[in-house]
Amino acid sequence: MARIAVGGFQHETNTFAPQRATWADFERADAWPGFVRGAELIDAVEGFNLPIAGAVKTLAGLGHELVPLCWCSAPPSSYGERDAYEKVAGWILDDLAAGGPLDGIYLDLHGAMVAEHHEDGEGELLRRIRALVGDRIPIVTSLDYHTNLTPEMVRYASAMIGYRTYPHIDMAATGSRAAQLLDRLLKDRRPLYKAYRQIDFLIPLVWQCTLMEPAKGIFALIEDIERGSDKSGAPGGSHNQGIVSITHTPGFPPADIAQCGAALVVYGHDRGAAEAAADRLAAAIREREAGFAGKLYTPDEAVIEAMRLAQGTTKPVLLADVQDNPGAGGTSDTVGLLRALIARRAKGAVIGMIVDPAAAEAATAAGEGALLDCGIGAKIGYAGEVPVEAQWRVVRLGSGMFTGSGPMYGGAKFRIGPMALVTDEASGVSVVLAAKRIQAVDQEIFRHVGVEPAQVPILALKSTVHFRGHFQPIAETILCVQSPGAHVTDPAELPYRHLRPGIRLRPLGPVHE
Ligand SMILES: [Zn+2]
């Protein structure tokens, strides 16, 4: 039995987004728990598809004594405010110092956090922890798929284990894998060699999905190399040779930091084998560069095509509003796609969620059946948009408190209200309004306000990829739409100032100088 400190600090930072992450954003619950510290952490995270939940369960099951630190996350947005970062980092260090003799540390980190005063949020946190606890204690972290994996993170953590799915359905499972690795490091006490590589092109999120090639094949290859069953005959591939674990993070492009982008790290007991496996995997990713591509529609093209397709099927045609994804820093209140649906009179279409606390509260005050006397959406004003004025009838109200049922947010306790379903009387287009920013990735969001997603002819979702986990099985087809949004799909359009020179801004794209 060992004494293991457990905690977490998660933020995915889109440095180009309009809203910053404040302490209040970390403190409050949304679909995930709010800030928790100390003994209450263990119960607070139980049952969520979160890395910390998987790690806690696995470490306790292995008989270890847990020393809870704190855990919190904020919705993806621009920079984490200095005050919020220093508060949380300070508590983690204080609680580690006060936690008595420790044998190991597990941390649930995102990996793409940029603070106002530190561009490598996780690298800086790990540096401080290493300085406090010394080199003897193993520190193992889990990481999001969208980590911008930096040399400092690799240096200061003993090992890091990333998700292997996008949509992320393996979050708790990744925490469990990290816990098992920490247990192994404590038992066998052999030094781990780290082989780190960065990939020299940025990969837009919309083409990072592991349900599709090339990401699907890359992650299959990772599992083959780990198992020692890669039969390609390439160096490092024929048998396992002491490879302990491989993490590949395709990166989070809208982050204006030097170390932005895809990377990988191979952990192994044999230096030569780890280096060879890292070379093999990096080469496999580079070979597939041209494959990270696909069709993007304008809002008008998408609505015309969706209305045509909807006539021949009873299953929903899905429109993914890929740039206004609140899970990547979007405001979830842009209205380009909504306006196109109304203009084409796409009767029966539903778009969700438009995050507009004022309109959701006004709908609640007006009551079901009433007409809303305000426009909806575009309250942040991204891209110069203005709210959509129409004959908005309040069809259904909701508290915003419900439990998710999909592969990603199953078990998550949503607290995003008030919510409302409102319908434009002239066009027959409906909008799901909410008060807090959460990505439209779970069917319960719609059921909560009386919409059965499978029965909607055209369903527009504020999401880039995650929606596929719960919605792809019910869909006729999926069209990806480029409407205004703070998660700009093509990184070549972003005004980077700090990115390292030499990296291509998209697959086969221009080189950043
Ligand atoms: Zn992610």
Side-chain angles (χ1 to χ4, degrees):
M1 189 185 94
R3 290 190 87 238
I4 297 174
V6 297
F9 185 17
Q10 283 213 24
H11 189 247
E12 180 180 80
T13 309
N14 172 345
T15 64
F16 302 101
Q19 300 156 292
R20 294 196 172 200
T22 65
W23 163 238
D25 294 325
F26 285 97
E27 193 176 25
R28 71 169 163 251
D30 38 46
W32 287 347
F35 175 82
V36 281
R37 184 180 180 194
E40 63 173 343
L41 178 151
I42 305 295
D43 287 341
V45 302
E46 190 185 351
F48 283 85
N49 183 14
L50 281 172
I52 183 96
V56 161
K57 193 172 175 187
T58 298
L59 289 170
L62 289 163
H64 297 303
E65 180 190 346
L66 301 183
V67 179
L69 308 168
C70 66
W71 185 94
C72 61
S73 78
S77 66
S78 188
Y79 297 90
E81 289 191 350
R82 181 187 189 118
D83 164 66
Y85 182 90
E86 291 301 332
K87 262 195 177 87
V88 180
W91 284 322
I92 291 173
L93 290 188
D94 287 352
D95 293 349
L96 283 169
L102 292 170
D103 301 303
I105 299 170
Y106 162 77
L107 292 175
D108 174 0
L109 302 178
H110 184 287
M113 175 161 53
V114 186
E116 286 175 332
H117 57 313
H118 287 293
E119 72 167 46
D120 179 4
E122 287 86 358
E124 172 64 14
L125 177 66
L126 289 164
R127 186 191 65 75
R128 294 184 193 181
I129 294 173
R130 191 53 92 189
L132 175 74
V133 303
D135 290 332
R136 189 188 63 79
I137 294 180
I139 304 171
V140 175
T141 82
S142 49
L143 291 175
D144 192 274
Y145 186 86
H146 297 111
T147 289
N148 287 318
L149 190 62
T150 69
E152 288 71 25
M153 290 165 65
V154 173
R155 176 176 170 193
Y156 294 117
S158 308
M160 293 179 287
I161 303 280
Y163 305 165
R164 292 183 172 182
T165 59
Y166 184 30
H168 304 334
I169 58 172
D170 63 340
M171 294 186 282
T174 302
S176 179
R177 288 170 53 224
Q180 284 161 1
L181 179 56
L182 177 55
D183 179 68
R184 175 173 172 178
L185 297 184
L186 287 167
K187 281 176 180 149
D188 72 10
R189 295 264 163 211
R190 290 169 72 189
L192 268 192
Y193 189 81
K194 305 165 184 175
Y196 171 69
R197 301 286 185 277
Q198 286 179 302
I199 305 301
D200 45 10
F201 58 92
L202 298 178
I203 308 172
L205 260 61
V206 67
W207 313 131
Q208 289 183 3
C209 178
T210 51
L211 300 171
M212 308 186 284
E213 296 298 343
K216 187 178 180 182
I218 290 167
F219 280 86
L221 173 65
I222 287 170
E223 298 199 345
D224 284 348
I225 296 174
E226 272 185 351
R227 278 198 304 264
S229 59
D230 173 24
K231 297 293 190 288
S232 65
S238 57
H239 53 98
N240 174 290
Q241 296 176 309
I243 302 296
V244 171
S245 180
I246 300 173
T247 282
H248 163 46
T249 54
F252 189 65
D256 189 11
I257 61 170
Q259 309 302 344
C260 182
L264 61 96
V265 59
V266 177
Y267 298 103
H269 294 308
D270 180 84
R271 176 182 178 145
E275 294 289 352
D279 284 338
R280 162 91 182 99
L281 183 55
I285 296 165
R286 289 176 185 129
E287 279 163 17
R288 290 163 170 82
E289 181 169 353
F292 293 100
K295 168 135 179 92
L296 293 168
Y297 290 78
T298 67
D300 205 43
E301 281 171 357
V303 172
I304 291 168
E305 178 66 357
M307 289 174 76
R308 188 184 72 77
L309 292 168
Q311 285 179 348
T313 176
T314 55
K315 292 160 85 179
V317 177
L318 300 190
L319 302 180
D321 197 349
V322 299
Q323 297 201 123
D324 192 29
N325 170 9
T331 59
S332 199
D333 85 332
T334 70
V335 293
L337 184 51
L338 172 59
R339 284 192 189 281
L341 288 165
I342 291 174
R344 294 279 166 190
R345 295 183 173 260
K347 188 165 186 287
V350 178
I351 182 167
M353 294 179 290
I354 299 277
V355 175
D356 184 339
E361 276 159 29
T364 305
E368 290 179 0
L371 274 176
L372 201 57
D373 60 359
C374 66
I376 65 173
K379 299 292 166 67
I380 310 279
Y382 186 83
E385 288 187 331
V386 295
V388 177
E389 305 286 345
Q391 293 276 90
W392 293 115
R393 179 78 64 187
V394 181
V395 178
R396 186 79 171 261
L397 296 170
S399 65
M401 296 172 70
F402 56 94
T403 302
S405 67
M408 187 171 168
Y409 277 109
K413 298 166 190 77
F414 285 73
R415 299 286 180 274
I416 59 171
M419 289 178 67
L421 178 73
V422 297
T423 300
D424 167 35
E425 303 240 293
S427 66
V429 173
S430 297
V431 175
V432 177
L433 294 171
K436 288 184 197 158
R437 287 191 310 127
I438 285 289
Q439 196 172 165
V441 299
D442 196 291
Q443 293 189 30
E444 299 306 327
I445 290 166
F446 293 87
R447 292 194 184 113
H448 182 65
V449 288
V451 175
E452 179 51 49
Q455 291 168 6
V456 173
I458 298 172
L459 185 60
L461 300 169
K462 299 278 188 183
S463 177
T464 309
V465 168
H466 282 322
F467 71 94
R468 290 177 187 268
H470 208 190
F471 290 90
Q472 189 160 304
I474 62 164
E476 170 68 21
T477 190
I478 294 167
L479 309 180
C480 293
V481 189
Q482 257 184 321
S483 179
H487 166 236
V488 173
T489 286
D490 181 359
E493 293 176 11
L494 292 169
Y496 291 101
R497 288 167 49 229
H498 305 294
L499 197 58
R500 64 189 181 279
I503 190 167
R504 288 186 291 291
L505 293 170
R506 68 171 112 84
L508 305 178
V511 175
H512 183 68
E513 291 177 16

